[in-house]
Amino acid sequence: MTSGTKESPAVQRILSLHFDTPESERLATYTASGGYSACRRAFARPPEDVTEEVKKSGLRGRGGAGFPAGVKWGFIPKNTERPMYLCINADESEPGTFKDRYIMERDPHMLLEGILITCWAIRSHDAYIYIRGEFEDARRVLQAAIDEAYAAGHLGANPCGSGWRIDVTIHRGAGAYICGEETGLLESLEGKKGYPRIKPPFPAVVGLFQSPTIINNVETIACVPWILEHGGEAYARIGVGKSTGTKLWCISGHVARPGVYETPLGVPFRTLLEEYAGGMRHPDRPLKAVIPGGSSVPVLTASEALGVNMDYESLGQLGTMLGSAGVMVIEEGTCMVWALAVITRFYAEESCGQCTPCREGTSWVNDIMWRLERGGATPEDIALVHNLCDNMIGKTICVLADAMVMPAKSFMKKFKPEFDAHIAAGRCPLPQPVRD
Amino acid sequence: MPETSTKPELLPPAALARLEELARRYPTREALMLPALWMVQREHGWISTEAMQYVAKLLDVSPVRVYGVVSFYHMFHERAPGKYNIQVCQTLSCSLLGAEKLLQHLQDTLGIAHGEVCPNGRFMVQRVECLGACEHAPVCQINDDFVFDLTPAALDAKLAELP
Amino acid sequence: MPKIHIDEREIEAGANENLIATAARAGVHIPHFCWHPALSVAGNCRQCLVEIEGVPKPQIACNTPLKDGMVVRTKSPAIQEARRGVLEFLLLNHPIDCPICDQAGECRLQEYYMSHGLYDARRNVDKVHKPKVVDLGPHVLLDAERCVLCTRCVRFCSEVARSDELYVAERGSHSEIATFPGQPLVNAYSGNVVDICPVGALLSKEFRFKSRVWWLKKADSVCTSCARGCNVRIDHHWNQVQRQVPRYNPEVNSYWMCDRGRTHIDWINEQRVTAAQHGEQTLVLREAFELLAARLAAAGSAVTVVLSPKLANEDLLAWRHLFTAVLPAAHLGAGSLEPAQPEDDILRRADPHPNTWSVQALELAADVRALWQAPAKLLLLVGDDPVGWDPALAAGLARFDFVAAALTNHNATATSVLAAGGLLLPLATHAEYAGTFNNYAGRVQRFEAALAPFGSALAAHEMAVELALVLRREFWPAGKPRTSVQQGIWQQLAPAIPAMPRIDWEHVPPEGLNPTWKPTARPRSVLTGEDATDAYSWGAAPEAARAGEHG
């Protein structure tokens, strides 16, 4: 099957193998390449074994937090009369991220098989796929795949002969980034505003409809069939250190070939940029900055990025995060103050408004950022924003506030001269900031 | 269930039947909130206060809860939108690749800004946040459909070919 | 019970307690907006952040389960900074219009700013503007700019009033408390949201702009609008009741009261009978009592005395004693024609009187119309407004040689009595003396004097004593009481009635006395006619009013 050492892994891709196959979304294509056999292996094993296998794989949540999936599954209460629920977080709204869309549009059965195995492992009969409202195309493809799966007996009362009822329902969101937060998702699914919940209690104990619930990202679950087919240890041999397996990278911004690319974790950023994304789009505009994991993580300077490997630990050592793997590449000539203002605008728009520091702080910081860019800011504003960030981070119900603070503080620190120049000039000093 | 009345049901029988079928997948009726609201918006293009009361009755929840939900989610329209709702992403990757120009272009050619409907009711423009298609930046959605790799000219061409 | 440390003090916590509640019990006030002991935890204001040893991030005290040995710091520099930060965020878009805001003086933003804030304003962006005078319902106004979105009001309407009329509309910094468009806030307990609103966002329409709260004097009292007997506080100024708010009593009304009871206060301030009147003439009290005494002597035992279930225990005991042991009366009873009110399983009782229980216990319950029609030469009314409830009664006044009425207000009964050449005596309201009511469950609850009596108004029990005095009869079986008239009544008159509780008048606690006795009279429900433990009768209601009794 697969063998190879960490130095020259034989496995380069797991998830994207069929992204470009014609009719890859059809059941026939999926079964032709061996689909719906991994779940049969899982059904033949005790559920705890399946969880152990996923634990062994070292698979970490691919939504952004990077929490080990097998460990999360282990949190389900052993003695409970309440039903277990599985929620698939397909809300994919982290700026710069679009990998889950590819999985749902191009290999939905891989996700469905992952759901089957996960439901078996956590003793759940019901899975909900919470998909962002804007992904209507993906939703249609996914629903068609679900219909095919039901018709073929891979879902329903007796999926693949397991005797374990598994039903999958797609639940369409309606335009709110905060519904990608685990408990915001639960509230939204229950029919309310997407207000994240105070914790404790945690979803594994009190989740959907007051019942124990596991919430996992699309990509995380999509990895599960391979792990059951080839073993957790084989998965753990791919990648580097505690960053096991492969990763779908979303590369966008000022590159020649933006897109989704899959490599083992630990790939050098330089390789991603030059070999996969075709390098910078304009030869005379070199790399200036990179946001490696969706806008909610600290930014890297060009020199930092060009020297880093893309894995959880290496990025952590540079003070940033792998996050959602939404890699946004920024070229020289871009005004970083303006870029930050665009980012803070996102958080101000998406704050649910429930708790004081985020509701007021995101809007205040955003207003100051645009004032910095367009005029009217004072020298005290930089220190003010730093202090407001300190008053927001770690003091809120969920981490949306932190998600704004990460880019805000890192941009202001690493590109300080630009911010100072804006204040000195009273507005953006660039004659025509590059914006196209 | 709503009482019979001389007013036509706000949702056609097929939609109501689908909703009841869906109800078997959830332990509470309140969980049908988003599905029901999407059905209403699909049917009528937007969600009026009358429709909110209708959904409240269907779901056996207080009307103000429906109102809170509709006003929270940005994809729900509380007023009639244009025939084509042009939702232009303005988050980072799209802005890096020219979203501001697109929005300015729409303002210049159609004469409408965020949230506005042009006088003949054909187009509405909305600034939206990351649409999850950054590899094709700048993007917009026209109603439910993505339009990738836009330039002002490409957008004009797309709008022109709409029925 | 877990033992925890708060700011170097060791405190024993109660079972299943929240950190913020434990701290409050121990006298450590942790600032907060959204937490309320009778509502679910929201955890959204973030004002109650505290440091917990071993936990990296500050935690909200309102959602921290207690662990034995937990070490909590509420005053560290980091927490002070966090508190100031939250306050600054709250005040970012707040209008700070204290000079025109009713909440000034009892506003948490003010209090916390003075104790934890005191910073120079750094706000340098435009404030978000929202509607400032939203007519939310018949009793409540909303100023959306002042709102801190603590959602206490939303949770109250959902969990206590169970009407689910409020929710938060919109998102982010444009969030606003709202009812469904076009639907007002009409639950029967809407006024409570004004009490629990920690800022001046939800305001009482009745109290708006009436008085600054630091001018108000306060007195513990009991609501008289139904048989629940919600504990209240009367806030007054210039000898007028300015507002009435609930007083916490876990065994009666928790933190709440209904709107009807809350707003039923104008009658205490307005249209009061402040002097004795006979026809056109105003009399001093002495003259009035002498006149009445003379007429009583002339009538002998042909006297009908009609009391009211709105009278306090002391009043009922005194008058019953006066006309059973001191003076003769052919007919003595207590009743009312006031119709039943809407009842629910939250607080409201159908019986609109505060003391029906005692009327039953004293075996005074009677049909008012029957009393008015009984043959007698003199009719003596104490309290209520029977002609107001049934105008047809007025014609019956002509039958009597003399009519006298002790009333609080210039109502229809007062007008009819004067028109019939009768005597009107100024009766004090419960706000003007101290006494006790027994609620529907027989709980003895004491109310204090809030206002000085209006004009020459006297409490009913004082009138009974005065009348005996003027008639040169001995009122007190065991001699004049040494402490107070009320104490004397309880010590000397109450023991004669087995069904009445034995209490020490001077030591009735503010939360009242649990009943430990059973009434001997089995009351009948006026609504169903059946024996009922929870419903009390007070005489037949007019048919017209009965039709609307479920309101």
Side-chain angles (χ1 to χ4, degrees):
Chain A
M1 280 260 144
T2 56
S3 64
T5 63
K6 277 216 182 104
E7 290 73 36
S8 54
V11 176
Q12 291 289 324
R13 301 200 293 157
I14 288 174
L15 300 171
S16 61
L17 289 167
H18 305 284
F19 276 3
D20 297 317
T21 307
E23 302 202 326
S24 60
E25 74 280 4
R26 305 291 313 279
L27 175 58
T29 319
Y30 189 66
T31 37
S33 56
Y36 288 108
S37 65
C39 62
R40 285 170 212 277
R41 287 175 186 254
F43 292 146
R45 297 167 64 179
E48 305 73 43
D49 266 19
V50 175
T51 302
E52 266 313 300
E53 202 67 50
V54 174
K55 269 195 192 150
K56 269 193 263 180
S57 75
L59 173 67
R60 294 164 75 157
R62 302 293 197 229
F67 191 83
V71 175
K72 189 187 250 188
W73 294 6
F75 288 154
I76 57 165
K78 300 293 176 280
N79 297 318
T80 175
E81 280 165 18
R82 304 204 68 106
M84 283 292 310
Y85 289 111
L86 174 64
C87 284
I88 307 300
N89 190 340
D91 193 60
E92 191 161 67
S93 305
E94 181 69 33
T97 319
F98 37 94
K99 56 190 175 67
D100 298 334
R101 201 185 94 236
Y102 274 69
I103 293 173
M104 291 187 283
E105 284 177 354
R106 297 166 185 236
D107 211 340
H109 284 284
M110 181 173 60
L111 173 62
L112 293 180
E113 189 173 15
I115 291 175
L116 285 177
I117 299 169
T118 310
C119 281
W120 175 257
I122 68 173
R123 305 275 78 200
S124 166
H125 290 293
D126 293 285
Y128 299 95
I129 303 175
Y130 187 96
I131 190 171
R132 64 178 293 181
E134 297 87 341
F135 278 3
E136 187 54 4
D137 286 341
R139 191 195 62 79
R140 277 190 220 121
V141 171
L142 192 52
Q143 185 62 59
I146 290 173
D147 294 342
E148 282 187 307
Y150 269 102
H154 299 318
L155 279 174
N158 190 14
C160 304
S162 63
W164 183 261
R165 175 183 73 81
I166 295 173
D167 281 312
V168 177
T169 310
I170 298 179
H171 197 96
R172 185 183 180 196
Y177 167 72
I178 195 61
C179 293
E181 201 275 354
E182 286 192 347
T183 55
L185 191 155
L186 295 178
E187 287 289 296
S188 183
L189 225 162
E190 291 183 4
K192 300 172 254 177
K193 305 174 68 157
Y195 279 174
R197 298 176 180 168
I198 46 175
K199 300 166 261 278
F202 291 87
V205 180
V206 179
L208 194 58
F209 307 123
Q210 306 293 308
S211 297
T213 306
I214 295 293
I215 303 133
N216 273 132
N217 172 260
V218 166
E219 187 184 354
T220 314
I221 299 299
C223 296
V224 169
W226 195 97
I227 292 173
L228 263 295
E229 188 72 37
H230 303 278
E233 279 156 5
Y235 192 83
R237 280 199 289 274
I238 309 165
V240 56
K242 292 208 220 129
S243 302
T244 62
T246 64
K247 186 77 192 68
L248 290 172
W249 306 105
C250 312
I251 309 187
S252 67
H254 293 141
V255 294
R257 288 196 305 267
V260 173
Y261 302 102
E262 185 178 13
T263 73
L265 277 159
V267 62
F269 169 76
R270 182 168 236 138
T271 308
L272 271 184
L273 174 64
E274 287 164 5
E275 288 174 32
Y276 287 84
M280 302 304 290
R281 63 167 186 167
H282 290 317
D284 56 335
R285 293 193 208 156
L287 182 66
K288 180 174 188 181
V290 177
I291 303 178
S295 65
S296 304
V297 306
V299 68
L300 294 174
T301 61
S303 68
E304 286 177 318
L306 290 170
V308 78
N309 293 335
M310 301 293 282
D311 61 76
Y312 294 96
E313 283 66 44
S314 301
L315 288 164
Q317 269 154 23
L318 277 184
T320 185
M321 292 167 64
L322 190 143
S324 69
V327 183
M328 290 178 281
V329 176
I330 300 173
E331 69 192 11
E332 281 294 347
T334 307
C335 174
M336 296 308 277
V337 176
W338 167 80
L340 180 58
V342 171
I343 291 174
T344 56
R345 179 173 59 199
F346 171 81
Y347 295 102
E349 266 302 303
E350 297 294 339
S351 168
C352 76
Q354 199 188 176
C355 69
T356 310
C358 175
R359 177 181 69 240
E360 308 296 344
T362 54
S363 123
W364 193 354
V365 169
N366 182 49
D367 285 347
I368 294 174
M369 281 304 141
W370 284 103
R371 192 189 284 242
L372 269 167
E373 174 62 10
R374 293 182 178 143
T378 66
E380 293 77 37
D381 280 339
I382 304 286
L384 175 60
V385 172
H386 273 288
N387 187 243
L388 293 180
C389 287
D390 292 338
N391 284 341
M392 290 167 67
I393 191 167
K395 306 208 169 65
T396 48
I397 294 178
C398 82
V399 294
L400 190 145
D402 303 36
M404 194 213 70
V405 167
M406 293 294 153
K409 276 190 158 291
S410 61
F411 270 65
M412 289 193 299
K413 179 172 157 214
K414 295 185 182 181
F415 298 95
K416 186 171 188 303
E418 283 189 55
F419 286 84
D420 292 340
H422 276 66
I423 292 192
R427 51 184 290 286
C428 184
L430 293 180
Q432 175 70 5
V434 174
R435 285 170 201 182
D436 62 349
Chain B
M1 298 300 290
E3 306 112 19
T4 52
S5 71
T6 51
K7 288 200 292 193
E9 287 276 332
L10 276 165
L11 281 177
L16 284 173
R18 254 194 343 267
L19 196 65
E20 288 312 312
E21 207 183 294
L22 204 54
R24 291 190 272 133
R25 294 290 184 89
Y26 299 91
T28 70
R29 274 194 89 77
E30 191 171 18
L32 297 169
M33 180 75 72
L34 290 180
L37 289 172
W38 276 119
M39 287 181 188
V40 169
Q41 186 156 292
R42 175 148 294 143
E43 190 65 31
H44 299 278
W46 59 295
I47 304 172
S48 63
T49 49
E50 197 198 349
M52 291 183 212
Q53 282 179 303
Y54 177 76
V55 169
K57 258 219 185 94
L58 265 181
L59 268 43
D60 195 25
V61 298
S62 162
V64 75
R65 297 217 164 252
V66 182
Y67 175 58
V69 164
V70 172
S71 62
F72 178 83
Y73 293 96
H74 283 177
M75 292 185 77
F76 289 141
H77 304 299
E78 290 178 69
R79 268 171 294 283
K83 182 174 181 197
Y84 299 107
N85 181 17
I86 310 166
Q87 302 140 84
V88 181
C89 173
Q90 61 170 8
T91 315
L92 187 61
S93 291
C94 287
S95 282
L96 287 173
L97 291 165
E100 276 187 4
K101 258 212 195 131
L102 276 177
L103 283 159
Q104 189 61 52
H105 180 72
L106 284 169
Q107 170 109 38
D108 295 338
T109 55
L110 297 179
I112 48 179
H114 169 74
E116 292 176 358
V117 183
C118 66
N120 65 5
R122 189 165 161 78
F123 296 118
M124 179 163 103
V125 170
Q126 264 187 300
R127 293 167 168 266
V128 297
E129 299 296 334
C130 184
L131 286 170
C134 323
E135 81 278 29
H136 293 295
V139 306
C140 78
Q141 282 193 314
I142 300 181
N143 295 348
D144 279 337
D145 303 316
F146 271 108
V147 188
F148 292 148
D149 307 304
L150 285 168
T151 60
L155 183 54
D156 283 346
K158 182 71 200 177
L159 295 183
E161 73 182 36
L162 290 170
Chain C
M1 302 299 177
K3 276 201 173 57
I4 65 170
H5 289 85
I6 303 183
D7 296 334
E8 322 292 314
R9 283 172 54 196
E10 192 182 78
I11 290 164
E12 177 144 348
N16 294 326
E17 235 180 8
N18 230 331
L19 176 56
I20 201 172
T22 305
R25 250 198 326 103
V28 179
H29 178 68
I30 297 177
H32 60 277
F33 292 91
C34 67
W35 180 71
H36 189 283
L39 302 174
S40 62
V41 175
N44 61 42
C45 75
R46 316 307 285 181
Q47 187 70 67
C48 69
L49 291 166
V50 294
E51 248 176 39
I52 300 182
E53 202 170 81
V55 181
K57 295 199 296 188
Q59 298 296 312
I60 47 175
C62 64
N63 193 43
T64 297
L66 298 174
K67 283 213 236 335
D68 198 34
M70 189 182 252
V71 177
V72 181
R73 282 184 254 283
T74 73
K75 294 187 176 33
S76 68
I79 289 302
Q80 302 283 23
E81 186 57 38
R83 283 187 188 154
R84 211 171 289 131
V86 171
L87 264 179
E88 187 177 33
F89 284 131
L90 283 171
L91 291 169
L92 176 73
N93 287 306
H94 193 82
I96 313 184
D97 46 8
C98 313
I100 54 166
C101 176
D102 283 336
Q103 198 84 358
E106 52 185 24
C107 171
R108 285 177 194 248
L109 276 175
Q110 284 184 335
E111 284 172 32
Y112 296 152
Y113 180 81
M114 293 311 293
S115 58
H116 301 98
L118 296 175
Y119 56 86
D120 289 327
R122 303 189 292 184
R123 180 188 54 78
N124 52 6
V125 296
D126 290 334
K127 286 187 186 268
V128 173
H129 287 295
K130 297 176 183 168
K132 282 195 76 65
V133 188
V134 179
D135 192 339
L136 216 55
H139 303 292
V140 180
L141 282 171
L142 167 67
D143 183 319
E145 282 184 351
R146 297 175 185 165
C147 176
V148 294
L149 290 163
C150 71
T151 67
R152 276 178 165 199
C153 56
V154 175
R155 285 175 280 142
F156 173 82
C157 287
S158 178
E159 297 163 18
V160 180
R162 288 184 251 131
S163 67
D164 226 14
E165 288 158 287
L166 293 177
Y167 206 24
V168 181
E170 301 294 330
R171 187 203 283 187
S173 58
H174 298 283
S175 300
E176 268 180 49
I177 300 292
T179 57
F180 188 80
Q183 283 182 6
L185 181 67
V186 293
N187 73 68
Y189 299 88
S190 67
N192 293 294
V193 301
V194 176
D195 296 338
I196 60 178
C197 179
V199 299
L202 289 169
L203 304 164
S204 157
K205 278 187 183 171
E206 289 85 8
F207 181 62
R208 194 159 174 252
F209 298 152
K210 260 203 193 169
S211 171
R212 278 312 200 182
V213 302
W214 52 86
W215 297 334
L216 297 173
K217 293 174 261 301
K218 302 161 203 286
D220 288 352
S221 188
V222 177
C223 179
T224 57
S225 291
C226 85
R228 172 74 59 176
C230 292
N231 289 196
V232 300
R233 199 186 71 211
I234 292 182
D235 288 355
H236 58 99
H237 182 49
W238 288 329
N239 217 44
Q240 297 268 292
V241 177
Q242 301 294 337
R243 65 178 179 184
Q244 187 169 241
V245 293
R247 188 162 49 94
Y248 176 59
N249 188 327
E251 295 186 52
V252 181
N253 58 306
S254 185
Y255 294 90
W256 324 118
M257 71 185 298
C258 76
D259 290 347
R260 185 173 104 85
R262 179 190 295 269
T263 58
H264 195 49
I265 54 175
D266 290 342
W267 68 277
I268 301 173
N269 297 331
E270 294 163 10
Q271 302 279 52
R272 291 292 306 279
V273 178
T274 56
Q277 254 182 279
H278 183 213
E280 298 281 310
Q281 248 197 312
T282 303
L283 310 175
V284 298
L285 274 184
R286 177 113 212 140
E287 294 173 315
F289 279 111
E290 280 168 358
L291 171 59
L292 180 55
R295 295 303 183 121
L296 276 169
S301 64
V303 173
T304 295
V305 180
V306 185
L307 307 173
S308 155
K310 291 198 187 300
L311 294 172
N313 290 330
E314 296 73 16
D315 307 327
L316 292 170
L317 282 163
W319 280 85
R320 183 191 167 281
H321 174 72
L322 183 66
F323 280 99
T324 51
V326 179
L327 297 174
H331 312 282
L332 167 66
S336 170
L337 298 171
E338 186 169 347
Q341 294 290 324
E343 187 170 86
D344 60 35
D345 60 355
I346 304 172
L347 286 177
R348 295 181 298 167
R349 313 266 329 162
D351 176 1
H353 304 293
N355 217 9
T356 306
W357 191 99
S358 294
V359 163
Q360 294 284 342
L362 292 168
E363 293 175 350
L364 289 173
D367 182 320
V368 168
R369 284 197 193 83
L371 281 174
W372 278 56
Q373 280 153 20
K377 292 193 188 150
L378 190 150
L379 177 66
L380 184 42
L381 307 168
V382 185
D384 202 18
D385 183 15
V387 174
W389 298 118
D390 185 1
L393 285 173
L397 287 172
R399 283 196 308 111
F400 298 93
D401 293 350
F402 191 71
V403 180
L407 302 171
T408 54
N409 296 77
H410 281 288
N411 51 30
T413 308
T415 311
S416 313
V417 163
L418 289 173
L423 173 66
L424 182 61
L425 293 166
L427 185 63
T429 67
H430 69 287
E432 292 149 271
Y433 65 99
T436 54
F437 293 122
N438 290 6
N439 79 350
Y440 75 102
R443 186 188 190 86
V444 181
Q445 307 198 110
R446 182 170 154 157
F447 54 90
E448 305 303 330
L451 312 171
F454 280 46
S456 35
L458 281 182
H461 61 267
E462 290 173 316
M463 284 187 182
V465 174
E466 191 64 27
L467 201 49
L469 198 67
V470 167
L471 282 162
R472 291 187 170 48
R473 302 294 188 93
E474 189 50 56
F475 183 86
W476 298 105
K480 203 156 161 323
R482 280 179 293 115
T483 51
S484 61
V485 174
Q486 293 96 324
Q487 177 74 302
I489 288 172
W490 280 100
Q491 281 175 336
Q492 302 187 31
L493 309 183
I497 302 111
M500 279 302 272
R502 310 277 170 268
I503 69 163
D504 179 359
W505 157 259
E506 306 289 357
H507 298 103
V508 177
E511 69 274 16
L513 289 168
N514 250 324
T516 51
W517 52 86
K518 295 268 179 231
T520 51
R522 298 307 297 156
R524 283 178 179 283
S525 164
V526 73
L527 300 173
T528 65
E530 301 159 81
D531 278 338
T533 46
D534 273 348
Y536 292 78
S537 62
W538 55 91
E543 286 308 319
R546 192 198 288 273
E549 74 202 1
H550 291 292

